[in-house]
Amino acid sequence: LPLAVAAAAVAGLLLGTPTLRLRGDYLAIVTLGFGEIVRLLAENLAGLTNGSLGLREVAYPFLGVSAQRPDGYFSAGNVIGPIDAGVAWFWVGLVLIVLALLMVRNLERSRVGRSWIAIREDEDVAEIMGVPTFRFKLWAFVIGATIGGLSGALYAGQVQFVNPNNFDIMSSMLFLCSVVIGGRGNKLGIIIGAFLVVYLPNRFMSFELGGKTLGDYKYLFFGIALLAYD
């Protein structure tokens, strides 16, 4: 997990340094394009990533080993209650989410956070007032990449198998929808947005419309949300 966080931070620094001078749609296109480039490289560099077959036996926390649980609490094979693999991963994820939120909240209340708010409201005015906008945007970009690396490591450890198809551009668009639905700069709103993006399509799988379930129309609904926001 620390290696994943460090690698994501370095990747964010390398990508953000030449691209963060762009703004708006241009920056979004570059970052989405870079994500697709990484996915295609992972799919084609079979000698390094095993290509579309993916990486198996991803490491996970080897804790709670016993006669009943020979591979520990976090193994996918642990289905023994009350602490099965799902419960163990839930609590680890919840603790890390709380820690990340506390870190971001403390940053928001600092000089860094005030600079971010000024840049978000009007970047040109912030720069005129002496805020080094590029440096603080790079800070935000690297911190976001770091949290993304943390999330990716948790996901890979939980499912214990990843391949490039898990990280297509539609997944990136769903992350963007979570932010749009929840509202930029609103931590609680983004959590609710992520919950809606993940929960609602699965919740409405039992309702049919036009020969398909409502969950199958999720990209249509989220696309309308993006257009309405724009």
Side-chain angles (χ1 to χ4, degrees), residues 118-131:
I119 293 169
R120 183 187 67 196
E121 297 302 326
D122 195 316
E123 186 173 343
D124 292 325
V125 172
E127 193 160 3
I128 291 172
M129 296 301 294
V131 176

Side-chain angles (χ1 to χ4, degrees), residues 142-216:
V142 171
I143 291 171
T146 301
I147 295 174
L150 173 66
S151 306
L154 284 176
Y155 170 78
Q158 182 178 10
V159 300
Q160 296 166 33
F161 168 78
V162 290
N163 70 4
N165 294 327
N166 297 133
F167 308 101
D168 58 6
I169 194 168
M170 293 309 300
S171 299
S172 299
M173 296 304 296
L174 290 179
F175 296 150
L176 178 61
C177 286
S178 301
V179 176
V180 169
I181 293 171
R184 291 186 305 170
N186 185 343
K187 296 187 292 297
L188 178 60
I190 291 173
I191 292 173
I192 294 173
F195 173 79
L196 294 176
V197 166
V198 174
Y199 174 77
L200 284 185
N202 293 299
R203 180 66 181 84
F204 289 108
M205 281 295 181
S206 58
F207 297 90
E208 291 193 2
L209 178 66
K212 293 185 177 182
T213 66
L214 283 178
D216 293 330

